[in-house]
Amino acid sequence: ANRLLEAFLQYGKKAYFYTERDFVFHNMAASHEFEHERLNVLSAICEKDYDIIITTPDAALQFTIPKSRLLSASMEIDRKNEYEISEIVDFLERSGYKRTDVIDGVGQYAVRGGIIDIFSPAKANPVRIDFFGSEIDRMSYFDTLTQRSIEDCDKINVLPAREGIGYD
């Protein structure tokens, strides 16, 4: 499947690999990397932003988050719009994000004064949003190690941090 995915990517196709979900039945710390990849693929399917999806029969047959719940637990933050910081924080909490002092992984967010850092599963790097009141002054992707900006952006799609959001 990975070789097939690489072949499609080399030919310029927008291809994704939808992995099987691992169920953890014990209270233990576990990586959510595959869960984030699955959410990214499901989001691409909802937006019809793909050429091909590669998967296995086991992954295709597993239950997942319903489309309506995925869309309601996602948020597009556009620099042109105004937002209250508390509104975004409430959304992130409902969508399974974990608040931290400094972001070092996907599914985390941090708030410092008028700045919100968000690491959405939809992106390879987190985004830093600088507010001036309720207006977005600047949005940019940044490196988690150096905390320095990589490139500016005008909008970001914030996916839920967990696939099982809203089931408890």
Side-chain angles (χ1 to χ4, degrees):
N2 286 323
R3 285 195 310 259
L4 188 59
L5 177 67
E6 288 301 318
F8 280 115
L9 291 172
Q10 286 177 357
Y11 285 107
K13 297 294 183 186
K14 198 161 199 169
Y16 295 94
F17 179 54
Y18 186 71
T19 61
E20 183 176 351
R21 183 172 183 196
D22 289 331
F23 293 99
V24 178
F25 297 106
H26 302 287
N27 189 14
M28 59 184 265
S31 170
H32 298 283
E33 181 182 348
F34 291 128
E35 184 175 19
H36 296 148
E37 287 177 18
R38 287 170 56 88
L39 286 165
N40 201 21
V41 174
L42 291 171
S43 176
I45 291 170
C46 288
E47 295 172 7
K48 296 182 170 101
D49 186 27
Y50 64 93
D51 293 318
I52 189 162
I53 306 292
I54 300 164
T55 191
T56 63
D58 288 342
L61 292 171
Q62 286 181 330
F63 286 104
T64 189
I65 186 170
K67 180 180 178 180
S68 60
R69 189 156 299 154
L70 175 64
L71 294 175
S72 68
S74 300
M75 178 183 204
E76 184 176 87
I77 300 175
D78 191 327
R79 191 172 172 190
K80 297 174 188 172
N81 298 333
E82 292 188 11
Y83 305 89
E84 293 298 325
I85 292 177
S86 60
E87 169 190 355
I88 294 176
V89 168
D90 288 344
F91 162 78
L92 293 169
E93 287 291 327
R94 285 191 320 272
S95 296
Y97 282 78
K98 181 179 178 192
R99 187 171 184 160
T100 60
D101 293 329
V102 178
I103 287 180
D104 62 3
V106 176
Q108 298 177 342
Y109 77 98
V111 180
R112 292 174 313 285
I115 298 172
I116 298 179
D117 294 342
I118 305 169
F119 204 153
S120 172
K123 298 295 179 185
N125 291 300
V127 69
R128 177 164 290 144
I129 306 170
D130 272 313
F131 283 90
F132 183 74
S134 60
E135 294 179 9
I136 296 176
D137 189 38
R138 181 177 184 209
M139 275 178 59
S140 59
Y141 295 108
F142 68 94
D143 185 295
T144 55
L145 296 176
T146 64
Q147 296 291 307
R148 293 185 179 214
S149 292
I150 298 171
E151 68 176 300
D152 288 344
C153 62
D154 291 324
K155 62 177 135 180
I156 181 173
N157 186 21
V158 182
L159 297 179
R162 309 303 283 228
E163 197 171 352
I165 198 76
Y167 289 106
D168 29 313

